[in-house]
Amino acid sequence: MQQREVDRLGDRNPVSIDVRVIATTNRDLALAVKEGKFRADLYYRLNVVALTFPPCARGKMTFRL
């Protein structure tokens, strides 16, 4: 994905792609990187824009976009 191309199984020619990845977790990935439980290179690629929301269990909340 980094080169904006993927190789399909059984095909000889790469296919051009344009994608955005949205990932979510309930874990502290910065801490996981420090502990060696999560890859640092993947963390820095995913952590371009960080959005933090409070847990839904804390009460009734409405998010407007």
Side-chain angles (χ1 to χ4, degrees):
M1 288 192 322
Q2 181 175 320
Q3 287 81 18
R4 296 183 180 223
E5 291 183 341
V6 294
D7 296 322
R8 290 188 289 195
L9 291 175
D11 199 350
R12 294 182 183 191
N13 301 319
V15 177
S16 297
I17 59 170
D18 183 18
V19 298
R20 304 293 184 267
V21 176
I22 298 174
T24 183
T25 183
N26 62 350
R27 300 183 188 267
D28 184 352
L29 292 183
L31 178 62
V33 168
K34 288 179 185 176
E35 294 175 346
K37 295 179 180 178
F38 194 83
R39 287 183 20 203
D41 64 310
L42 182 57
Y43 172 75
Y44 291 111
R45 289 174 192 225
L46 291 174
N47 196 30
V48 175
V49 176
L51 302 175
T52 305
F53 295 99
C56 294
R58 286 192 184 165
K60 187 175 180 181
M61 304 182 109
T62 302
F63 298 103
R64 291 186 179 186
L65 300 177

